[in-house]
Amino acid sequence: MNPPDGFVGGFREAAPYINHLRGKTLVIGIAGSLLQGPPLRRLAADLNLIASLGVRLVVVHGSRSQINRLAQADGLTPQYHQGRRITDEATLQYAKQAAGILRSDIEAALYSSFAQSPQRSKPISVASGNFISAKPMGVIDGTDMGYTGLVRKTDTEAVRQRLDDGAIVLISPIGHTLSGKTFNLSMGDIAEAAAVALQAEKLIYLIEQDGILDSDGRLITNLSAEEARRMMAKNQAAPRQERLLRYAVNAVGHGVGRTQILNGNDDGSLIRELFTRHGAGTSVARDAFVRIRQAHHDDIPAIMSLIRPLEEQGILLRRSREYLEDHIGSFSVLEHDRCLYGCVALKTFADPQSAELACLAVSPDAQAGGYGEMLLKHITDQARRKNIRRLFALSTHAGEWFAERGFQTASADDLPEERRRDHVEGGRNSKIFVYPL
Ligand code: COA
Ligand code: ARG
């Protein structure tokens, strides 16, 4: 039988995410620099596609680069304080102008990408409006921020109503006060505030970098809120990335499922982020994305579906459901995004200094990603804590894997008495390895 080709495999991977996101609200903040030419057209097509799957979309656009261009055309240099724009009277006019043009360009791009999708009978409407009320940022360290504002409130009822009507909600980075004054807001602030107010499933930032980068410039694919906080405390992120991390941590700390930060210039990144297991950028979640924990009884069906095919191929020793029920306490499981992708057991013997690393398995679609190694480390740490000195492993197919990780060849005579008996009687002729701890 042939393995599924790329399309079938990809579709199977995407289907659970499609089902999960149907009816959920996503708030997507898009940097202004991405909202022109081909990147805008590609993003609009992908937003249309995602909305057509029944996902409720709130799009917040930025306008930083557009405002800068308008100011520079008039010979003015944009002024910033602590990374925030200082908005004087002239800059406020540019901000309003940029928001108007961008809103119209985004609506046009969404409309024309609909025209190119023949399966759709009518375009998704776009709803804009005064959903965000503002308050002045005021004077910071002696610097008057002028018409730069902060989000005061999101009109969640109005937004929800538009979403219920099937519209994509489009929010510009402009807000008003009750006294009728207009303030220039930041896309990042609005997206975070709206995601929290709407208790969105996801807050997504499309930026010009691949996501959050480490000190060597490499993409960090997953962060728990705790890890993100630690990065900020150690000043490990560049100022703009630091602000994104702050939004992410704040949002997931206030009930948003996950914050995802990715490169909007990279064609298809949004689709990959949402509908593949590994995504395309950085995902910040409240808890660790990949974790190993003690197995419990509810895990037995998932463990069985992981190990049965391997048992049938003779790779793993057969274990009945009853065996798993009786010995579940010795199993640990590896979860990736709350799905079970691996397991391992620490089997102990009458000899308190010996134990066996048993039933190590990683789901075939997640192999070669380091999970086997993580499970191995987990079990060696566990064995060390139990003062075990010799960790055995018996394998018919993965001998090389153990040998490359420091296991030494051993013989049946080295095994604890009861394991030697099983080994001989079982007739599986497994290779025996031992890891001195
Ligand atoms: N023999 C030798 N090397 C192997 C191997 C095997 N049977 N299976 C995987 N590898 C290599 C991969 O090629 C990869 O090498 P690379 O990094 O040079 O590309 C590396 O090991 C992957 O390591 P890692 O990602 O940490 O492991 P994994 O998550 O793929 O899991 C196993 C490794 C062995 C647990 C997994 O292949 C598995 O579930 N096998 C079936 C069950 C089994 O044999 N269990 C052991 C008996 S208890
Ligand atoms: N598609 C999944 C989601 O939307 C997983 C994404 C994982 N992304 C990452 N950058 N690690 O939640």
Side-chain angles (χ1 to χ4, degrees):
M1 207 170 60
N2 293 326
D5 62 29
F7 171 75
V8 173
F11 195 77
R12 285 181 181 155
E13 183 173 344
Y17 294 113
I18 296 174
N19 283 326
H20 175 73
L21 289 179
R22 190 174 302 119
K24 302 272 171 38
T25 302
L26 267 52
V27 176
I28 307 184
I30 310 180
S33 51
L34 301 169
L35 293 168
Q36 52 215 344
L40 171 59
R41 283 196 293 279
R42 287 196 299 257
L43 281 174
D46 288 349
L47 290 172
N48 249 317
L49 186 146
I50 294 164
S52 75
L53 298 173
V55 182
R56 294 152 69 90
L57 291 184
V58 177
V59 175
V60 185
H61 73 77
S63 56
R64 178 185 278 250
S65 56
Q66 285 80 357
I67 297 176
N68 286 352
R69 264 203 306 277
L70 289 168
Q72 277 151 1
D74 282 348
L76 300 174
T77 309
Q79 301 294 317
Y80 293 94
H81 178 64
Q82 290 185 353
R84 296 276 190 167
R85 185 189 296 284
I86 302 170
T87 311
D88 57 14
E89 191 72 54
T91 310
L92 181 64
Q93 296 314 312
Y94 301 137
K96 289 190 200 174
Q97 212 177 321
I101 294 170
L102 277 164
R103 189 179 287 186
S104 151
D105 286 354
I106 295 168
E107 285 173 1
L110 285 168
Y111 192 70
S112 79
S113 71
F114 148 76
Q116 286 149 21
S117 51
Q119 73 278 25
R120 300 290 298 278
S121 57
K122 65 180 181 58
I124 293 179
S125 57
V126 180
S128 311
N130 56 342
F131 302 121
I132 304 292
S133 59
K135 59 187 179 191
M137 188 173 252
V139 177
I140 308 252
D141 303 332
T143 303
D144 185 352
M145 301 301 289
Y147 292 96
T148 298
L150 294 170
V151 175
R152 182 171 173 199
K153 201 161 177 277
T154 307
D155 186 347
T156 49
E157 210 182 301
V159 173
R160 284 206 182 99
Q161 228 160 58
R162 305 306 188 279
L163 293 172
D164 289 346
D165 289 345
I168 293 180
V169 170
L170 177 62
I171 303 181
S172 295
I174 293 281
H176 313 284
T177 61
L178 283 177
S179 64
K181 279 199 183 120
T182 299
F183 282 87
N184 178 22
L185 306 181
S186 114
M187 171 277 279
D189 286 3
I190 299 180
E192 188 231 320
V196 171
L198 292 162
Q199 287 291 285
E201 177 69 15
K202 289 173 187 296
L203 165 62
I204 295 169
Y205 287 108
L206 294 174
I207 59 168
E208 281 195 290
Q209 278 174 333
D210 289 345
I212 300 294
L213 309 178
D214 68 13
S215 49
D216 296 325
R218 279 182 311 231
L219 174 69
I220 303 174
T221 54
N222 295 295
L223 283 170
S224 66
E226 188 46 46
E227 288 165 336
R229 244 181 249 116
R230 240 180 283 138
M231 251 184 108
M232 288 191 283
K234 288 189 192 153
N235 275 331
Q236 282 173 330
R240 276 209 206 170
Q241 294 232 314
E242 150 116 28
R243 184 148 356 128
L244 287 168
L245 278 177
R246 205 158 359 97
Y247 292 139
V249 168
N250 209 20
V252 299
H254 287 87
V256 174
R258 189 167 285 179
T259 304
Q260 285 149 289
I261 304 162
L262 46 143
N263 194 337
N265 269 321
D266 181 1
D267 188 10
S269 59
L270 183 57
I271 302 287
R272 267 186 291 126
E273 181 62 29
L274 293 179
F275 303 115
T276 68
R277 195 174 309 122
H278 293 289
T282 303
S283 166
V284 183
R286 215 190 47 189
D287 303 314
F289 197 69
V290 178
R291 63 178 186 137
I292 298 177
R293 60 165 173 80
Q294 164 71 56
H296 39 71
H297 278 87
D298 295 349
D299 296 318
I300 291 176
I303 295 177
M304 285 176 68
S305 52
L306 171 66
I307 63 176
R308 277 292 173 264
L310 295 165
E311 292 174 357
E312 276 153 19
Q313 293 166 57
I315 296 175
L316 289 182
L317 185 70
R318 199 163 189 97
R319 288 169 177 86
S320 64
R321 174 182 274 278
E322 294 69 38
Y323 176 92
L324 292 173
E325 277 167 3
D326 290 347
H327 294 85
I328 195 70
S330 63
F331 276 74
S332 300
V333 290
L334 182 144
E335 281 183 331
H336 171 127
D337 204 7
R338 291 174 294 236
C339 292
L340 196 149
Y341 278 96
C343 67
V344 67
L346 183 69
K347 186 172 172 182
T348 50
F349 301 106
D351 167 12
Q353 297 204 326
S354 296
E356 180 185 345
L357 175 158
C359 203
L360 170 67
V362 172
S363 169
D365 56 345
Q367 284 181 8
Y371 291 168
E373 190 103 28
M374 282 170 71
L375 286 161
L376 171 63
K377 178 169 184 319
H378 174 81
I379 234 58
T380 48
D381 288 349
Q382 200 178 63
R384 276 196 191 96
R385 283 196 301 274
K386 294 188 172 190
N387 294 322
I388 286 161
R389 310 294 303 275
R390 287 176 298 276
L391 184 66
F392 289 96
L394 280 77
S395 176
T396 50
H397 287 69
E400 227 6 70
W401 191 85
F402 286 112
E404 283 172 14
R405 282 153 186 83
F407 279 75
Q408 296 158 8
T409 310
S411 74
D413 294 338
D414 299 314
L415 290 171
E417 170 61 28
E418 62 267 47
R419 185 61 177 105
R420 189 180 323 137
R421 235 181 306 128
D422 283 354
H423 171 66
V424 174
E425 286 167 13
R428 283 168 45 81
N429 209 12
S430 310
K431 300 245 168 16
I432 302 167
F433 296 89
V434 66
Y435 190 80
L437 291 163

